[in-house]
Amino acid sequence: MSSHAVHSITAAKLPRRRKAGGLRGFGGAMPATFLVILFFVVPVLALLLRSVLEPAPGLQNYETLLGSTTYLKVFANTFIVSTLVTICALVIGFPVAWALVIMPSTLTRIVFAILLLSMWTNLLARTYAWMVLLQRTGIINKTLMQLGVIDQPLALVNNLTGVTIGMTYIMLPFVILPLYGVIRTIDRAVLRAAALCGATRWQALTRVLLPLAAPGMAAGGLMVFVMSLGYFVTPALLGGTSNMMLAELIAQLVQSLVDWGLGSAAAFLLLVVTLALYAVQLKIFGTRQMGGR
Amino acid sequence: MLLDFHRLGWWRWVLLAIVIAVSAFLLLPIIFIATLSFGSSQWLIFPPPSWTTRWYGELFADPRWLAAAFNSLKIGLIVTVLSVLIGLAASFSLVRGKFRGRETLKALFLTPMILPVVVLAVALYAFFLRLGINGTVTGFVIAHLLVALPFSILALTNALEGFDKSVEDAAVLCGAHPLEAKLRVTLPAIAPGLFSAAIFSFLTSWDEVVLAIFMASPTLQTLPVRIWSTLRQDLTPVIASASTVLVAVTIILMLLVALVRKGMKS
């Protein structure tokens, strides 16, 4: 059989492909597109509209949010906690990610299993654990008192300390995993060169390893910061009522106070800040670092 | 030097200590909950003075907890089926389609995963109140589907990109109907991807709290919603046992995924 004949059979039997048409092969994506547009794009846009239409057209909801000390305190709480969580997660996460790259592979595998287990353990279960661990009569206070470090139980829960501890715990894997990816690609020869040139370990760390890992730190840190800004469950349970963060404020405005205008405006502020920070991340690091839950 | 474990000197012991401490920090709360769920102390004294299965007894005797668990299971399974089917169709289109803007479309599908879930929850809550499907299984399924679908699409586009389409074409050349070729050649080849998509879709729904809080009604709650509303009243050990059940299901499913991946490699 000549190659020409084979070609004609191929062309006849394979599903025919239309030549032109900008939507070739789009059909399969229709249900998903429909779902996402109807139940994601439309509701989010409707929410945005409500923020400028209710109770009356105008920007008064945004003025109220940005002009009252009550709401500014919520923004401040959100910003402070997110910053603290990001710093803590980076400081704790860097040595772990570094160790994961160089440790014997059995150990690495165990630590990875623990990281995944922690990430996929129900958020409520983990938060509940911290509520119990951190309470006044909890094991942490008890141990510290028995050791004589403190006389009075520390207030570790129902305040921003509790929120910071609980959220750092939750965010750690989200720093460690991208950071691991970056450190793993660092050429070991560069560090060997530093050693040959007489750098001490400390100099090699601060002048070579840390700068090379910086893109990973920035990407992981930014992701954790953004995720922390919109976190709801952990702040609501560990923070108590007087230390509200933004997500909880949104929920309360909508569910308890039924103030849709103000609630929508707060939600939209959160959305804009989040998207802006993701845009920064995309611009600086490209798409490869994206991910997470 | 710094990237060579054996030439780190005493630094490696510092690193090792940090890794062990962080691992303990990550594991501790999970072990703690499981231990407390078998402890006899109503006040969650640790270590427990004695052991009991009383809290599991209370959990499984309470029709409200059982109903919540049943709802979680039902919603999770519906979400899984829909997420895999819609995700599979979308992935075929994203990987093999020739239309413009495929990258943008994929980004659109993945967006619900990275946005603050509270924003999505509030938006859907408002929308569903208008449609009158708040507090229904339909509402729950749609909400969870939106956040489960990205996992499904990620797993399936990944699997399809790794599959050599000429194998499918060969089946067609040998006389198979294109659909038959897809069903009997392509799908078995990407089975691990399908499996991951299913498990992660289920787990996303099974573990989801924020959307569920907004979608729930007094008569329709999932397990996480029930834990949430109980937690706001007190810290009873029944929650520890409910959490343990929740976590146990997750661990079993994750192990299944790991086993399947391992089986595929060997």
Side-chain angles (χ1 to χ4, degrees), chain A residues 22 24-25 98 120 169 201, chain B residues 2 8 26 33 93 98-99 250:
Chain A
R24 204 162 58 187
W98 175 18
W120 281 95
Y169 169 76
R201 275 187 295 233
Chain B
L2 289 185
L8 262 181
L26 289 173
I33 287 290
S93 183
K98 295 280 183 281
F99 56 93
T250 308

Side-chain angles (χ1 to χ4, degrees), chain B residues 119-173:
Chain B
V119 174
L120 180 60
V122 169
L124 276 180
Y125 180 57
F127 195 58
F128 286 174
L129 282 178
R130 291 260 158 103
L131 295 181
I133 55 171
N134 214 67
T136 65
V137 173
T138 315
F140 257 108
V141 167
I142 293 172
H144 281 178
L145 191 53
L146 281 171
V147 286
L149 195 60
F151 287 98
S152 193
I153 289 183
L154 280 178
L156 291 170
T157 48
N158 210 356
L160 276 176
E161 271 159 12
F163 171 73
D164 185 357
K165 189 177 178 293
S166 54
V167 180
E168 187 183 310
D169 290 342
V172 175
L173 282 177

Side-chain angles (χ1 to χ4, degrees), chain A residues 13 17 22 24-26 28 39-40 92 98-99 102 120-122 124 128 139 169 188 191 201 205 278, chain B residues 2-3 5 8 10 19 25-26 33 46 89 93 98-99 114 124 146 165 200 207 224 231 235-236 246 250:
Chain A
K13 281 215 173 174
R17 297 178 191 278
R24 204 162 58 187
F26 174 71
F39 294 110
F40 175 66
I92 303 172
W98 175 18
I102 59 174
W120 281 95
T121 295
N122 188 280
L124 276 175
Y128 169 72
I139 185 170
Y169 169 76
R188 285 162 201 226
L191 283 147
R201 275 187 295 233
L205 173 68
Y278 273 130
Chain B
L2 289 185
L3 286 175
F5 192 63
L8 262 181
W10 59 271
V19 169
F25 176 61
L26 289 173
I33 287 290
F46 192 89
S93 183
K98 295 280 183 281
F99 56 93
I114 59 163
L124 276 180
L146 281 171
K165 189 177 178 293
F200 283 107
D207 277 332
L231 259 186
L235 296 177
T236 159
L246 210 60
T250 308

Side-chain angles (χ1 to χ4, degrees), chain B residues 44-257:
Chain B
L44 302 159
I45 292 167
F46 192 89
S50 67
W51 306 99
T52 175
T53 52
R54 182 180 148 201
W55 314 115
Y56 288 92
E58 278 187 26
L59 181 73
F60 290 114
D62 188 336
R64 289 169 304 175
W65 281 107
L66 287 180
F70 176 71
N71 288 333
S72 276
L73 202 61
K74 182 166 75 177
I75 292 165
L77 288 176
I78 303 175
V79 168
T80 305
V81 172
L82 290 176
S83 169
V84 171
L85 287 179
I86 298 176
L88 185 64
S91 302
F92 265 110
S93 183
L94 288 173
V95 173
R96 297 189 178 169
K98 295 280 183 281
F99 56 93
R100 288 171 67 188
R102 272 174 299 153
E103 283 304 308
T104 318
L105 194 63
K106 187 172 177 186
L108 176 71
F109 292 157
L110 300 188
T111 317
M113 182 169 78
I114 59 163
L115 282 192
V117 69
V118 73
V119 174
L120 180 60
V122 169
L124 276 180
Y125 180 57
F127 195 58
F128 286 174
L129 282 178
R130 291 260 158 103
L131 295 181
I133 55 171
N134 214 67
T136 65
V137 173
T138 315
F140 257 108
V141 167
I142 293 172
H144 281 178
L145 191 53
L146 281 171
V147 286
L149 195 60
F151 287 98
S152 193
I153 289 183
L154 280 178
L156 291 170
T157 48
N158 210 356
L160 276 176
E161 271 159 12
F163 171 73
D164 185 357
K165 189 177 178 293
S166 54
V167 180
E168 187 183 310
D169 290 342
V172 175
L173 282 177
C174 293
H177 186 270
L179 193 66
E180 193 190 1
K182 276 198 176 62
L183 283 177
R184 294 182 49 185
V185 177
T186 313
L187 289 193
I190 60 163
L194 283 169
F195 188 70
S196 306
I199 300 276
F200 283 107
S201 297
F202 180 80
L203 284 181
T204 304
S205 168
W206 175 256
D207 277 332
E208 208 288 325
V209 192
V210 181
L211 289 165
I213 291 170
F214 280 86
M215 297 304 131
S217 70
T219 51
L220 183 69
Q221 296 191 329
T222 55
L223 211 45
V225 176
R226 178 101 192 108
I227 294 180
W228 165 266
S229 48
T230 314
L231 259 186
R232 302 218 107 182
Q233 290 151 21
D234 66 327
L235 296 177
T236 159
V238 177
I239 300 178
S241 55
S243 303
T244 309
V245 171
L246 210 60
V247 175
V249 170
T250 308
I251 292 177
I252 291 168
L253 291 178
M254 293 296 288
L255 282 179
L256 265 179
V257 173

